[in-house]
Amino acid sequence: MTAITALDSAERARLRERAASCCVEYRNHPLPTGCVPRAGRIGVEDNGTTVLLQVDRKVRYVGLDAEVHAWVTAGTHAFSDLDTAIEWLSSKLPEPKVARAAAPTAVRYPTVDLDAVEAESEDATRPVSAPELEAAIREEVVGQAEAVNVIATTVAHHTAKMRPRRPVSILLYGPTGTGKTLVGERLATSLTALSGETWRSLRYDMNEYSERHAVARLHGAPPGYVGHGEGTSLASELAANPRCVVVFDEIDKAHPDVLTALMNLMDAGRLGSSDTGRPATRSVLLFTSNLAVAPGGDQEEMARRALIERGTRPEVVGRFRHMCGFTPLTGRQRAEVAARSVARVAADYGLSVSEIDPAYLRRVLNDTRHSTIGVRALEYLIDAQLGAQLAAQAAGTTVRVIGADPQVAPSARTDATAAPTSDASCLVPGDPTAGSPTNAQEKP
Ligand SMILES: Nc1ncnc2c1ncn2[C@@H]1O[C@H](COP(=O)(O)OP(=O)(O)OP(=O)(O)O)[C@@H](O)[C@H]1O
Ligand SMILES: [Mg+2]
């Protein structure tokens, strides 16, 4: 496209002729410094008495030039003739990055990759709303209200940025089995569902990156080496997928050289300088640690100190935008996880659950109360107790899970499970004699 600021006299004459009958538009024309975006639509119109230089109303101006400000705000600027309009625009454009002596008469303009400008801004057109993202994460994650709120808000704002300069980096800390990794997984599926764009979920266990040479696995094989261009190193994943939620589990176990490589990723969205593809500045980087912080005081600051005391360098800790604490689940929250777990285990066998007896949930909670592995213990127990009986059911069956005493009336309905049906089978988890389909209507 011709830039109106580079027209010779013949072209100016042609423009004068065309602009007299209609508005001549220049798409993606470079705009004065301080305009956002830096290129936009400009119109030139000669109404007989004045020449109007129009600018796209979506352009914003963050600079200090009063004339440019007035032009962008009003969307139009009037001039006595075409040459004055073009000279005015030329004087407001950024200095071309060429030696002035080489082009004493003609104004040169920096080459702008307008396709890239356009493509990048289109990239950023689908921000997700923070409340929606928070609600979507909550569908799967029980409790951890404050952490989920901070994560959802920070990530939602990140998705609204036209051109983020770096990925979002957040540290999630707290005891094992409290939902840190689950939040990362759920974040990726929620972003995909809400934005319509594919967000990939990746997970790296930093226990496997505790040796110096492990840093090479993040980068992948260099050119000329076996495996170059193959496999799924973090660098190749990020280069191929601009939108990733990457969970780096147990960050305090990583080798210092691995952390140095990750600092580069946090700063520039790249692992080293040789990666192909766009930098992964849209990505979300979640780091987890099992560090414990005593209650009270400034929790974020205390968590940063605790991480440094465990040996993580301050410059790494300083790159975490937020430090989100995960707390052990309360009894009620554990009951909710247990109920979901029953439904999930049943779904693994192709079955759905219509009712769960609270007596059964109480028993599970009691049996796992002193576990050191968080709510994972609940899931393991439920899987072990229900597995055999669920396997005996025909796929597609609806089941009711009742307590050890079949006389106890099942009354607790799980959240999103199906309504009870007359052909629902009763299961008594842990009772080896139970498991054969029984008509639910016959139970008290
Ligand atoms: N807050 C929670 N809400 C729902 N389910 C949970 C929650 N916390 C843990 N779980 C269940 O326990 C399992 C383990 O959770 P997760 O992997 O997220 O723990 P973690 O905090 O990452 O633990 P670790 O520190 O050991 O990595 C999950 O698969 C999930 O089913
Ligand atoms: Mg984890």
Side-chain angles (χ1 to χ4, degrees), residues 17 37 145 234 308 313 367 433 442:
E17 211 172 276
L234 176 57
I308 292 168
R313 283 164 23 219
D367 290 351
T433 61
E442 291 160 13

Side-chain angles (χ1 to χ4, degrees), residues 152-317:
T153 308
T154 310
V155 172
H157 290 173
H158 190 65
T159 62
K161 287 185 182 166
M162 294 257 292
R163 243 159 279 152
R165 280 180 292 143
R166 56 180 66 93
V168 164
S169 300
I170 302 176
L171 184 100
L172 319 182
Y173 66 91
T176 186
T178 48
K180 300 183 293 297
T181 303
L182 182 65
V183 163
E185 289 163 2
R186 184 65 197 175
L187 186 56
T189 48
S190 305
L191 284 168
T192 301
L194 293 173
S195 70
E197 294 151 340
T198 305
W199 280 79
R200 254 178 84 72
S201 169
L202 303 172
R203 190 177 154 262
Y204 289 81
D205 184 351
M206 290 293 109
N207 275 308
E208 294 165 18
Y209 290 80
S210 57
E211 307 282 337
R212 165 170 283 159
H213 60 76
V215 75
R217 274 191 284 130
L218 291 177
H219 288 280
Y225 282 73
V226 176
H228 173 66
E230 300 168 7
T232 50
S233 66
L234 176 57
S236 64
E237 289 279 6
L238 291 174
N241 307 288
R243 294 171 183 80
C244 285
V245 176
V246 194
V247 178
F248 299 95
D249 268 329
E250 301 207 51
I251 189 64
D252 21 15
K253 303 283 164 44
H255 188 274
D257 286 4
V258 171
L259 285 179
T260 304
L262 293 182
M263 270 166 52
N264 198 15
L265 179 63
M266 289 188 240
D267 280 344
R270 283 187 193 280
L271 276 165
S273 54
S274 58
D275 310 328
T276 52
R278 284 189 195 169
T281 51
R282 295 210 174 282
S283 289
V284 176
L285 311 177
L286 301 179
F287 299 82
T288 78
S289 165
N290 287 129
L291 70 84
V293 175
D298 182 343
Q299 291 284 294
E300 279 221 26
E301 187 51 30
M302 284 160 73
R304 285 186 202 276
R305 276 178 208 277
L307 199 57
I308 292 168
E309 277 161 20
R310 284 166 79 126
T312 308
R313 283 164 23 219
E315 58 269 37
V316 176
V317 177

Side-chain angles (χ1 to χ4, degrees), residues 138-149:
R138 287 205 174 293
E139 278 174 23
E140 194 98 8
V141 178
V142 176
Q144 317 302 2
E146 205 178 321
V148 171
N149 174 269

Side-chain angles (χ1 to χ4, degrees), residues 3 65 68 107 122 184 211 214 288 295 334 363 372 376 424:
D65 188 312
V68 174
V107 179
E122 278 162 14
E211 307 282 337
T288 78
R334 289 174 65 232
R363 213 175 73 207
T372 51
R376 279 197 185 94

